[in-house]
């Protein structure tokens, strides 16, 4: 069954969504199953795929399909696809793929990295682990302005002047009829 959330997801087709969901449940910490986090991870993953070049997006989608269907030949899976495996067998399947140290293992490792990054990008997960980058970003911004303020302002002025010379609108001021 395709839900409204799945239909509105820009990056995950109905073909790869079940495998992506199962993959997230297996590779992310157990908290991924709480409070609709898996859906939010899939949304982030879809957005991430959408931001990638077409070739990379297609490669990751193909990797999920191969991962999902490849489970059928893994003996403990008994012909079932990855999306249908229980936790124990799904985890064992991924461990077996990662142990191979070949292109399949590399692709699974890359998928794992992207999906877990999507998990840790969720605001509630960041709060739970105490990750709050705002004070650090503010401190670095202040330090850079103190150290490089004149150069930054000169660079901004040069860009703004260049835009004026070309007849383009200034930053923050859209041209008439443009958003």
């Amino acid at each position: 069954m395709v839900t409204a959330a799945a239909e509105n997801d820009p990056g995950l087709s109905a073909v790869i969504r079940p495998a992506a969901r199962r993959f997230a449940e297996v590779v992310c910490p157990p908290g991924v199953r709480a409070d609709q986090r898996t859906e939010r991870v899939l949304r982030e993953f879809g957005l991430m795929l959408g931001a990638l070049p077409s070739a990379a997006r297609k490669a990751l989608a193909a990797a999920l399909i191969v991962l999902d269907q490849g489970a059928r030949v893994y003996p403990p899976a008994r012909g079932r696809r990855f999306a249908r495996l229980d936790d124990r067998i799904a985890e064992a399947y991924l461990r077996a793929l990662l142990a191979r140290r070949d292109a399949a293992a590399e692709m699974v490792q890359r998928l794992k990295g992207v999906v877990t990054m999507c998990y840790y990008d969720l605001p509630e997960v960041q709060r739970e682990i105490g990750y709050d980058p705002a004070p650090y970003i503010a401190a670095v911004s202040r330090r850079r302005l103190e150290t490089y303020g004149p150069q930054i302002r000169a660079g901004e002025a040069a860009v703004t002047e260049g835009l004026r010379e070309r007849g383009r609108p200034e930053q923050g001021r859209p041209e008439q009829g443009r958003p």
Side-chain angles (χ1 to χ4, degrees):
M1 179 171 107
V2 177
T3 64
E7 290 171 356
N8 295 329
D9 196 329
L12 298 180
S13 71
V15 174
I16 66 170
R17 189 173 185 79
R21 167 185 290 288
R22 191 71 188 114
F23 192 78
E25 291 171 347
V26 174
V27 301
C28 293
V32 75
R33 296 178 191 217
D35 302 321
Q36 299 290 317
R37 284 185 186 173
T38 304
E39 284 302 316
R40 290 195 297 280
V41 168
L42 293 178
R43 175 91 174 132
E44 287 292 324
F45 183 59
L47 292 171
M48 175 77 69
L49 287 179
L52 293 174
S54 178
R57 185 173 46 252
K58 289 175 183 176
L60 286 174
L64 273 169
I65 292 168
V66 169
L67 173 91
D68 189 36
Q69 296 300 321
R72 293 179 187 274
V73 297
Y74 179 63
R78 297 184 183 166
R80 293 174 290 166
R81 54 189 278 212
F82 179 72
R84 302 265 187 217
L85 299 179
D86 65 35
D87 289 345
R88 186 181 55 80
I89 296 172
E91 290 169 7
Y93 173 60
L94 289 182
R95 278 193 309 273
L97 285 175
L98 290 168
R100 291 171 45 157
R101 307 248 185 244
D102 60 4
E106 185 177 330
M107 188 53 76
V108 169
Q109 190 63 45
R110 289 176 192 266
L111 276 170
K112 181 180 178 183
V114 171
V115 171
T116 55
M117 182 177 65
C118 292
Y119 173 77
Y120 285 109
D121 198 41
L122 298 177
E124 64 271 23
V125 173
Q126 290 178 355
R127 280 190 302 275
E128 288 172 7
I129 63 173
Y131 178 68
D132 182 15
Y136 173 76
I137 291 169
V140 169
S141 295
R142 278 191 304 277
R143 186 178 74 234
R144 286 184 180 158
L145 280 175
E146 290 167 3
T147 305
Y148 304 107
Q151 294 95 327
I152 292 171
R153 285 187 285 285
E156 289 173 344
V159 169
T160 303
E161 184 60 33
L163 290 175
R164 281 191 201 125
E165 289 173 4
R166 291 186 190 106
R168 294 189 178 140
E170 292 182 37
Q171 183 179 5
R173 301 176 82 190
E175 230 177 81
Q176 191 68 20
R178 293 196 176 185

